[in-house]
Amino acid sequence: MQEPRQLHCRVSTSAAFSLIELLVVLAVVLILTVLYWDHGPSKRDLGIAACQQNLEKIYLAMEIYARDNAGKYPVNTNAVTSEDALALLVPHYTSDTSAFLCPSSGDTPPPAGKSSRDWKTSYAYYMGRRSTDGDSALMSDKQVNALSKNAGDTVFSTTGQPPGNNHGKGGGNFLTCSGGVISSGDNAPISLNLAPSVTLLNPKP
């Protein structure tokens, strides 16, 4: 009589990943993904974006002024700095004095509604422009000088030192007469040549 066969189960001796090893691998992959993708906005980008918003706010006041003055933006024939001309906007067309200061400047905004003749602004102003001047520059961050410039010429500080260093050596913004804001590096992205009726006023040093 034949004896019944015994069944033998083979036990696998090959190694498998433990739960702890899988968790470690997952954590490493997660860390590498975060390091690769999550750089976040730089301080320069935040400053440039805040300046764009400032210039857009000022443009609203400029447009109201122009409607009241036959399409002309503020003109002060005795102006030496941009503060002299922009004083015509405050407090009649805007009381938001904080919009006239670059957030990167570290300066404290004056009380709301106070005339800009009594404090510093951060922005240069192309006095003599009209609302019909399209994409011509109307305002910008402080420039290296108050001269005409061709596209590609140096317009903002290349060293991070004054003049023209609202954003260190990170460039700046231009507000156009059509209300658009153009960001650029330290070179002019558009022609900034001055017509005989236009004067570029930088803010107080």
Side-chain angles (χ1 to χ4, degrees), residues 167-205:
H167 301 281
K169 55 181 180 178
N173 292 304
F174 292 90
L175 171 68
T176 67
C177 295
S178 61
V181 179
I182 303 168
S183 294
S184 85
D186 49 30
N187 295 327
I190 56 176
S191 173
L192 300 172
N193 288 318
L194 302 174
S197 59
V198 176
T199 304
L200 174 58
L201 299 171
N202 252 334
K204 297 172 187 174

Side-chain angles (χ1 to χ4, degrees), residues 44-198:
R44 175 212 176 254
D45 292 338
L46 291 173
I48 292 283
C51 264
Q52 288 176 347
Q53 293 173 358
N54 279 355
L55 291 171
E56 287 165 357
K57 289 176 186 176
I58 296 170
Y59 181 74
L60 293 176
M62 289 276 199
E63 279 294 280
I64 298 168
Y65 182 97
R67 279 200 292 271
D68 287 350
N69 291 274
K72 295 178 183 178
Y73 292 121
V75 172
N76 177 346
T77 54
N78 298 317
V80 176
T81 66
S82 57
E83 288 88 354
D84 296 331
L86 296 174
L88 298 173
L89 295 175
V90 182
H92 302 296
Y93 296 93
T94 181
S95 60
D96 183 6
T97 53
S98 65
F100 292 86
L101 280 178
C102 170
S104 303
S105 70
D107 293 331
T108 304
K114 188 174 182 183
S115 169
S116 65
R117 284 192 185 95
D118 305 325
W119 47 277
K120 284 178 65 174
T121 183
S122 302
Y123 302 111
Y125 175 53
Y126 286 85
M127 187 174 71
R129 297 278 197 223
R130 302 177 64 93
S131 58
T132 54
D133 285 342
D135 290 331
S136 297
L138 177 59
M139 292 182 68
S140 75
D141 279 290
K142 190 186 307 180
Q143 297 189 22
V144 292
N145 57 49
L147 303 176
S148 283
K149 298 171 186 72
N150 296 313
D153 288 351
T154 300
V155 65
F156 301 123
S157 176
T158 58
T159 63
Q161 300 301 312
N165 64 329
N166 280 4
H167 301 281
K169 55 181 180 178
N173 292 304
F174 292 90
L175 171 68
T176 67
C177 295
S178 61
V181 179
I182 303 168
S183 294
S184 85
D186 49 30
N187 295 327
I190 56 176
S191 173
L192 300 172
N193 288 318
L194 302 174
S197 59
V198 176

